[in-house]
Structure formats: C-alpha cells, structure tokens
C-alpha cells in the first residue's frame, strides 16, 4: 500500500510542478494530439459523402481541439 501512495504522490507532483523536461514532454504530447486531430478533421472532410450537420460538427470539434492542443503545446514547450 505504501508503494501505491508514493506513486500517487509522485504523479501529483509531476502534474502540479513539472520540471522543464516534463513540460517539454507534455508539449510534444500535446502537439502530437493536435496533429492527430487535424489529420482526423481532414480525413472526415474527404471521406464523408454528405455534408450534414453532424459531420460538420465533428469536423469543427476536431479543428477546435487541434487548435487548443497546439496552443497548449506551444505554452508548455516555450522553455524557461
């Protein structure tokens, strides 16, 4: 049980006060998810036959998350 508590505390510490290297890693992960969102949006655009409201909403959501993740990654990767 002690090992589990220590692991939880270390995880909290990594998220509350990350080191510069951890911030850079979180930024790279965020940029990876951004790229996946943008690729997903483009894929949906070119594979769906009908431009219905649910399809447009899906594309808009993927673009929104892609931009948000890019912005987050840029903030985390800016170094100190």
């Amino acid at each position: 049980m002690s090992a589990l508590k220590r692991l939880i505390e270390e995880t909290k510490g990594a998220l509350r006060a990350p080191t510069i290297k951890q911030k850079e890693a979180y930024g790279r992960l965020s940029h990876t998810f951004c790229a996946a969102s943008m690729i997903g949006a483009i894929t949906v655009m070119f594979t769906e036959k009908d431009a219905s409201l649910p399809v447009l909403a899906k594309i808009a959501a993927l673009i929104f998350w892609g931009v948000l993740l890019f912005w987050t990654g840029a903030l985390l990767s800016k170094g100190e």
Side-chain angles (χ1 to χ4, degrees):
M1 208 54 176
S2 175
L4 180 60
K5 284 185 181 182
R6 194 177 94 217
L7 178 63
I8 290 171
E9 288 303 315
E10 287 180 14
T11 303
K12 285 180 184 178
L15 296 174
R16 286 184 186 153
T19 64
I20 292 174
K21 291 286 187 186
Q22 286 173 322
K23 281 184 179 181
E24 290 173 355
Y26 298 157
R28 285 191 299 273
L29 179 64
S30 183
H31 280 154
T32 300
F33 288 148
C34 163
S37 293
M38 293 301 185
I39 291 168
I42 292 168
T43 301
V44 171
M45 277 188 239
F46 286 105
T47 57
E48 291 291 332
K49 294 179 183 178
D50 300 324
S52 63
L53 189 60
V55 171
L56 294 175
K58 192 182 302 184
I59 293 168
L62 285 166
I63 291 172
F64 169 80
W65 284 109
V67 169
L68 184 67
L69 288 164
F70 179 81
W71 178 69
T72 304
L75 288 177
L76 291 171
S77 297
K78 70 178 191 173
E80 295 181 28

